[in-house]
Amino acid sequence: AKEAGVELKKPKVNSHIAKLYEINKLAARYYYKQLKEDKEAATYIKDRGFNKESIYKFGIGYAAGGYELLDYLQSQNGKFNKKELLDSGLFTLKSGKLRTKFFKRIMFPIRSTSGKVIGFSGRVLPSNDKGPKYMNTPETPIYHKKDNVFGQYESRKAIRKEDLVIFCEGQTDVISAHQRGIENIVAPLGTALTIEQLER
């Protein structure tokens, strides 16, 4: 480029978007560790037949609720402001205070095709009767449910190899299929199948 007289410019990084990716990455790490520490959540995962390899591969975790996730995120280098935390989709604002959105749920990270955590899908434990069975991250600057499917990152190589993608109902179906060697499989995230998802 220098010899040809072409000036190469690095693309500007949107700092707000970068922070949202960082929050989701840290949250996934936090949830993953919490799964090992909660007996009920760990038992549920075991009873569903998920092995250690699947837990690691899909980054399955657990959200107990409370203020622990917020405290964890704020303890990291470069603390996050209220807008960044709200825009991550992990928190809501009640009476002027940030509250976690996910309570007593098994957490399935939703990854982009490049592997970045862009959101979560949380499934209630049998002891939790509050809210829907599955709750996904709401629309955020980095997550748009009509554009994404669960397993798009984990299944990308097999889909390319087979030149075929199987759509199934939910996250647990994708994970169970992977354990049985069927890896060209994804699931829509609580929506009817969209053109955007098919184009992915």
Side-chain angles (χ1 to χ4, degrees):
K2 187 177 181 180
E3 289 178 7
V6 177
E7 184 182 358
L8 294 179
K9 293 182 180 179
K10 289 185 179 179
K12 290 183 179 180
V13 177
N14 185 317
S15 59
H16 183 66
I17 296 296
K19 284 288 186 75
L20 299 186
Y21 282 125
E22 182 68 12
I23 289 170
N24 277 278
K25 181 179 78 172
L26 290 170
R29 189 179 299 166
Y30 175 81
Y31 291 142
Y32 180 77
K33 290 179 181 177
Q34 290 302 301
L35 179 63
K36 298 177 182 178
E37 297 177 12
D38 189 277
K39 186 177 180 180
E40 183 185 5
T43 299
Y44 173 81
I45 287 296
K46 184 180 179 181
D47 290 346
R48 289 303 298 257
F50 297 151
N51 59 36
K52 289 182 180 179
E53 290 75 17
S54 292
I55 294 169
Y56 177 77
K57 182 178 183 178
F58 287 89
I60 302 171
Y62 175 67
Y67 291 97
E68 289 85 358
L69 175 61
L70 180 61
D71 292 340
Y72 172 75
L73 291 172
Q74 294 293 40
S75 72
Q76 304 304 303
N77 293 332
K79 291 182 179 179
F80 307 105
N81 63 42
K82 185 180 285 187
K83 178 170 174 52
E84 290 162 350
L85 291 166
L86 282 172
D87 282 356
S88 73
L90 291 168
F91 301 93
T92 58
L93 199 60
K94 292 183 180 179
S95 303
K97 290 185 177 181
L98 286 170
R99 303 286 177 91
T100 184
K101 187 174 182 67
F102 297 98
F103 175 77
K104 289 191 75 173
R105 289 177 180 270
I106 300 297
M107 301 298 284
F108 301 95
I110 302 166
R111 293 187 174 107
S112 68
T113 51
S114 63
K116 291 182 178 179
V117 179
I118 55 177
F120 294 88
S121 183
R123 190 204 188 282
V124 292
L125 285 176
S127 63
N128 180 11
D129 59 359
K130 295 180 180 178
K133 183 177 179 181
Y134 279 94
M135 180 186 290
N136 294 339
T137 294
E139 293 284 311
T140 73
I142 63 172
Y143 171 66
H144 308 285
K145 62 182 179 181
K146 72 179 179 63
D147 294 330
N148 294 282
V149 291
F150 181 78
Q152 60 191 357
Y153 175 69
E154 294 83 359
S155 302
R156 71 198 188 287
K157 290 180 181 177
I159 291 169
R160 211 173 287 130
K161 181 181 178 181
E162 300 288 337
D163 194 25
L164 173 71
V165 60
I166 300 167
F167 275 81
C168 63
E169 185 180 1
Q171 295 87 328
T172 55
D173 301 314
V174 171
I175 297 166
S176 295
H178 270 251
Q179 286 189 175
R180 288 162 177 77
I182 302 167
E183 298 186 355
N184 57 324
I185 185 167
V186 296
L189 293 154
T191 64
L193 197 59
T194 68
I195 294 298
E196 290 84 357
Q197 289 170 337
L198 289 171
E199 288 175 344
R200 284 264 167 189

